[in-house]
Amino acid sequence: MSSQRPSTRSSQQEIQQVRPFRSRAQEATIALMRTASVLSRRYARLVEPHGVSLAQYTVLRILRGAGPEGLPTLAIRDRMIDEGSTVTRLLDKLERAGS
C-alpha cells in the first residue's frame, strides 16, 4: 500500500452527513467502521488476483498459523475477523479450488 497523506476531511464530510453527530463517541465509531471498510476493500483487491476472497484468505491465514495439526471448523470460526462468513462454505470452496 502506498503511503498517502491522511485525509484532513472530517468523518461528517467523508460520509456526506449534513447533521452533526450526536456525540464524539458516535463520530469515532463511524470513523472506525469506515476505516475498517476501506482497508477491507484494499486487501480484498490484493488477494483477488490469487483467486481467493478476503474471507478465504483469512481462513488460510488461520490454518497456516495453526500449523500442520490444523483446527476444527468451530475454532476457525472463533478466530475469524468477519463473523458474517460461513466457515464450512469457505472451507468447501477452498478444498474444491485445491488451496
Side-chain angles (χ1 to χ4, degrees):
M1 286 195 223
S2 63
S3 57
Q4 298 175 351
R5 184 172 170 220
S7 174
T8 56
R9 294 181 350 168
S10 71
S11 296
Q12 189 173 340
Q13 291 169 325
E14 292 248 346
I15 64 171
Q16 300 175 18
Q17 179 170 313
V18 178
R19 295 174 58 189
F21 290 102
R22 284 186 246 157
S23 67
R24 299 282 289 163
Q26 184 186 43
E27 183 175 7
T29 300
I30 297 298
L32 182 60
M33 291 169 58
R34 180 159 167 73
T35 300
S37 177
V38 168
L39 289 172
S40 181
R41 285 192 308 268
R42 285 188 182 179
Y43 281 104
R45 284 194 299 267
L46 288 174
V47 299
E48 283 172 1
H50 300 283
V52 295
S53 68
L54 189 55
Q56 290 170 324
Y57 168 79
T58 302
V59 168
L60 292 171
R61 181 189 54 77
I62 290 167
L63 289 172
R64 180 174 177 241
E69 61 276 358
L71 285 172
T73 304
L74 293 178
I76 296 169
R77 185 199 65 198
D78 291 343
R79 296 179 187 198
M80 293 290 290
I81 295 167
D82 178 12
E83 295 180 12
S85 302
T86 305
V87 174
T88 303
R89 183 179 52 83
L90 291 170
L91 291 169
D92 289 345
K93 285 177 108 176
L94 287 166
E95 189 173 20
R96 280 193 303 273
S99 298

